Amino acid sequence: MGGAGFRFGGPFDAPGIDALLRRTFGRDAEAQLVHDLREDGLITLGVVATDDEGQVIGYVAFSPVAVEGEELQWVGLAPLAVDERYRGQGIGRQLVYEGLDSLNEFGYAAVVTLGDPDLYRRFGFEPAARFDLRCRWPDSAEAFQVHRLADDALDGVHGQVEYSEHFNRL
């Protein structure tokens, strides 16, 4: 892609991130979700990809989740967006790997996501149902996945993974 750089998102990036999310998803819901999470201090990590001019062309957010009400240093990956003009160039993969590496360095134990199993399998995610983990949304077992950052992250952990209430508005 030549020249695309990564930087961590912050208030300065908010307008570019919001515009990217609206373009990518064709609606306001994901942009509103990220705005609300940001306003409430619930973005654990945001990774931004920019082009040579500094325009936001990719973004991934990670926010805290609990398992059966217990905080275990787990986060949820959502949303992931790459500008349509830049797809197929590995930007999404780089965003996810950058996020996973940073979260691992910060001592987080696991990441969950709800998305295309084929896509996320390539990043090392596994079906969460295999570990008796589920989320609140019906018929999501196949799409709900987990990636352990710590070897023992899944030891003795099972039940419902709870996202922030902001996700219930999607």
Side-chain angles (χ1 to χ4, degrees), residues 73-94:
Q73 290 294 94
W74 285 32
V75 294
L77 181 165
L80 169 62
V82 175
D83 188 286
E84 188 174 28
R85 296 167 296 169
Y86 291 88
R87 290 190 189 144
Q89 298 180 40
I91 294 170
R93 181 180 67 245
Q94 290 176 296

Side-chain angles (χ1 to χ4, degrees), residues 48-143:
V48 177
T50 57
D51 65 11
D52 292 331
E53 287 78 46
Q55 297 298 305
V56 176
I57 59 169
Y59 178 71
V60 64
F62 299 87
S63 59
V65 297
V67 183
E68 292 292 327
E70 192 174 347
E71 301 294 331
L72 299 172
Q73 290 294 94
W74 285 32
V75 294
L77 181 165
L80 169 62
V82 175
D83 188 286
E84 188 174 28
R85 296 167 296 169
Y86 291 88
R87 290 190 189 144
Q89 298 180 40
I91 294 170
R93 181 180 67 245
Q94 290 176 296
L95 287 166
V96 171
Y97 283 143
E98 179 85 11
L100 294 175
D101 285 347
S102 295
L103 291 163
N104 189 38
E105 287 176 25
F106 297 152
Y108 286 87
V111 180
V112 293
T113 195
L114 193 60
D116 178 359
D118 292 331
L119 172 66
Y120 287 101
R121 190 175 303 119
R122 288 183 258 159
F123 303 136
F125 283 80
E126 303 174 77
R130 183 180 299 162
F131 304 98
D132 191 25
L133 293 166
R134 62 191 177 284
C135 63
R136 70 180 302 277
W137 297 285
D139 304 319
S140 61
E142 186 177 328

